């Protein structure tokens, strides 16, 4: 009887142990899905880190390129402004050469017609007043421009001269300018009807204007050399900025874009492996 009861109880015990077996089977079945979820979470965390690092690196590279662009444009703007000032100085210096010749020739013309015998009434009545006005205008502009080139002029858009070479050239020009200006003043105050006085004045005007012309020509050449040098350095700066910008772009490709794509491929492989 005891053995029969034990046998009768065995089915009940088997029924009670069945849910436990099912639970163990369920746990065993759920373990792969839990592993897949952990892998997905790990992939998401890795993906976020990669995106964050790539974003920081990309934004840094873009900001650096933008900074280089701003610096380049600022340097170009400053150089163009300075070059424009150099152009004005070259033009005014060239005009100084022309004015020195113009007022000298007009003075010589007035002396010549003043010495005519008999007097040229047509010249005295119509030509002399106009020529005198033109001569005075040329002298005034010549004198003012000589000062503006050295001290600067807001009207002309030029600053005071600071280059040591140009200032030294103006030091050499100063006595030549004074000599020619003195000749112009001597004509205005001298006796135009005295042949000896006018002859001496002619003899001094001719070498004075030539001496001024030669030195002023040297100054204009110096202006041109300085301007060419600034253009050269502008080209050098532009090339350096271009090379550095390209270098930053190459670094961005190798250290931002390429690693990001590689990590994205790795994440895709991990996801495919977890689904398999």
């Amino acid at each position: 009887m005891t053995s029969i009861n034990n046998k009768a109880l065995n089915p009940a015990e088997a029924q009670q142990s069945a849910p436990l077996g099912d639970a163990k089977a369920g746990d065993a079945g759920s373990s792969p899905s839990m592993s897949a979820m952990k892998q997905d979470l790990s992939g998401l965390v890795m993906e976020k880190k990669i995106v964050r690092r790539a974003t920081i690196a990309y934004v840094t590279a873009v900001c650096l390129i933008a900074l280089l662009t701003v610096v380049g444009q600022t340097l170009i703007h400053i150089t163009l402004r300075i070059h424009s000032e150099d152009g004005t100085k070259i033009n005014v210096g060239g005009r100084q050469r022309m004015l020195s010749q113009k007022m000298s020739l007009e003075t010589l013309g007035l002396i010549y017609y003043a010495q005519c015998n008999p007097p040229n009434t047509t010249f005295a009545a119509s030509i002399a007043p106009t020529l005198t006005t033109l001569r005075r205008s040329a002298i005034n502009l010549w004198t003012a421009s000589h000062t503006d080139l050295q001290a600067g002029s807001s009207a002309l858009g030029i600053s005071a001269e600071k280059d040591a070479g140009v200032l030294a050239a103006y030091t050499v020009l100063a006595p030549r300018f004074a000599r020619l200006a003195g000749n112009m003043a001597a004509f205005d105050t001298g006796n135009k009807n005295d042949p000896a006085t006018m002859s001496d004045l002619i003899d001094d005007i001719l070498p004075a204007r030539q001496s001024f012309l030669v030195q002023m020509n040297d100054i204009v050449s110096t202006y041109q050399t300085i301007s060419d040098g600034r253009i050269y350095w502008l080209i050098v700066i532009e090339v350096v900025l271009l090379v550095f910008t390209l270098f930053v772009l190459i670094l961005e490709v190798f250290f931002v874009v390429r690693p990001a794509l590689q990590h994205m491929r790795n994440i895709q492989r991990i996801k495919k492996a977890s689904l398999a």
Side-chain angles (χ1 to χ4, degrees), residues 3-26:
S3 61
I4 294 173
N5 291 335
N6 290 336
K7 291 180 180 179
L9 291 173
N10 286 339
E13 290 176 355
Q15 290 179 358
Q16 290 178 356
S17 62
L20 295 175
D22 293 341
K24 290 180 180 179

Side-chain angles (χ1 to χ4, degrees), residues 147-195:
T147 302
D148 292 340
L149 284 172
Q150 298 176 77
S153 170
S154 57
L156 294 176
I158 58 177
S159 57
E161 187 58 56
K162 297 178 181 178
D163 186 82
V166 176
L167 292 175
Y170 273 112
T171 301
V172 176
L173 181 68
R176 306 183 188 193
F177 174 85
R179 180 183 177 186
L180 189 55
N183 289 331
M184 299 299 105
F187 174 78
D188 293 333
T189 59
N191 185 3
K192 300 174 183 58
N193 296 319
D194 182 7

Side-chain angles (χ1 to χ4, degrees), residues 246-260 262:
L246 293 176
F247 179 71
V248 171
L249 290 174
I250 293 172
L251 290 179
E252 182 179 2
V253 170
F254 280 96
F255 294 98
V256 178
V257 177
R258 191 163 172 258
Q262 185 64 36

Side-chain angles (χ1 to χ4, degrees), residues 110-125 128 192-193:
L110 290 170
I111 292 174
Y112 173 77
Y113 282 104
Q115 298 299 313
C116 287
N117 190 13
N120 189 325
T121 56
T122 302
F123 175 82
K192 300 174 183 58
N193 296 319

Side-chain angles (χ1 to χ4, degrees), residues 225-255:
T225 301
I226 293 172
S227 179
D228 292 342
R230 285 170 176 159
I231 293 175
Y232 170 78
W233 281 111
L234 174 62
I235 295 174
V236 171
I237 291 172
E238 286 181 336
V239 171
V240 170
L241 289 174
L242 175 61
V243 171
F244 196 69
T245 301
L246 293 176
F247 179 71
V248 171
L249 290 174
I250 293 172
L251 290 179
E252 182 179 2
V253 170
F254 280 96
F255 294 98

Side-chain angles (χ1 to χ4, degrees), residues 9-263:
L9 291 173
N10 286 339
E13 290 176 355
Q15 290 179 358
Q16 290 178 356
S17 62
L20 295 175
D22 293 341
K24 290 180 180 179
D27 292 340
S30 64
S31 59
S33 62
M34 291 295 293
S35 176
M37 290 179 62
K38 289 180 179 179
Q39 289 180 355
D40 289 341
L41 290 174
S42 177
L44 289 174
V45 171
M46 184 183 297
E47 185 176 354
K48 288 182 179 180
K49 289 181 178 179
I50 294 171
V51 170
R52 183 170 65 252
R53 291 175 182 175
T55 302
I56 293 173
Y58 182 77
V59 170
T60 302
V62 170
C63 291
L64 185 57
I65 293 173
L67 178 62
L68 291 174
T69 302
V70 171
V71 171
Q73 290 299 317
T74 302
L75 290 175
I76 291 172
H77 176 74
I78 293 173
T79 305
L80 289 177
R81 181 180 60 81
I82 295 175
H83 182 63
S84 176
E85 183 175 332
D86 291 339
T88 301
K89 290 181 178 180
I90 291 171
N91 291 334
V92 175
R95 189 180 66 189
Q96 284 293 88
R97 296 180 298 185
M98 179 273 295
L99 290 173
S100 67
Q101 303 305 296
K102 180 177 183 293
M103 66 188 192
S104 298
L105 292 175
E106 288 169 347
T107 302
L108 294 174
L110 290 170
I111 292 174
Y112 173 77
Y113 282 104
Q115 298 299 313
C116 287
N117 190 13
N120 189 325
T121 56
T122 302
F123 175 82
S126 59
I127 300 177
T130 302
L131 191 60
T132 300
T133 301
L134 292 174
R135 172 182 172 274
R136 175 48 51 191
S137 177
I139 292 173
N140 292 338
L141 181 58
W142 177 71
T143 304
S145 298
H146 181 74
T147 302
D148 292 340
L149 284 172
Q150 298 176 77
S153 170
S154 57
L156 294 176
I158 58 177
S159 57
E161 187 58 56
K162 297 178 181 178
D163 186 82
V166 176
L167 292 175
Y170 273 112
T171 301
V172 176
L173 181 68
R176 306 183 188 193
F177 174 85
R179 180 183 177 186
L180 189 55
N183 289 331
M184 299 299 105
F187 174 78
D188 293 333
T189 59
N191 185 3
K192 300 174 183 58
N193 296 319
D194 182 7
T197 302
M198 292 299 104
S199 178
D200 292 340
L201 188 58
I202 291 173
D203 291 340
D204 199 36
I205 287 176
L206 293 175
R209 76 187 183 104
Q210 184 62 27
S211 177
F212 178 88
L213 178 63
V214 171
Q215 183 60 23
M216 196 67 222
N217 189 61
D218 290 342
I219 292 175
V220 173
S221 298
T222 304
Y223 282 142
Q224 185 65 53
T225 301
I226 293 172
S227 179
D228 292 342
R230 285 170 176 159
I231 293 175
Y232 170 78
W233 281 111
L234 174 62
I235 295 174
V236 171
I237 291 172
E238 286 181 336
V239 171
V240 170
L241 289 174
L242 175 61
V243 171
F244 196 69
T245 301
L246 293 176
F247 179 71
V248 171
L249 290 174
I250 293 172
L251 290 179
E252 182 179 2
V253 170
F254 280 96
F255 294 98
V256 178
V257 177
R258 191 163 172 258
L261 292 176
Q262 185 64 36
H263 285 300

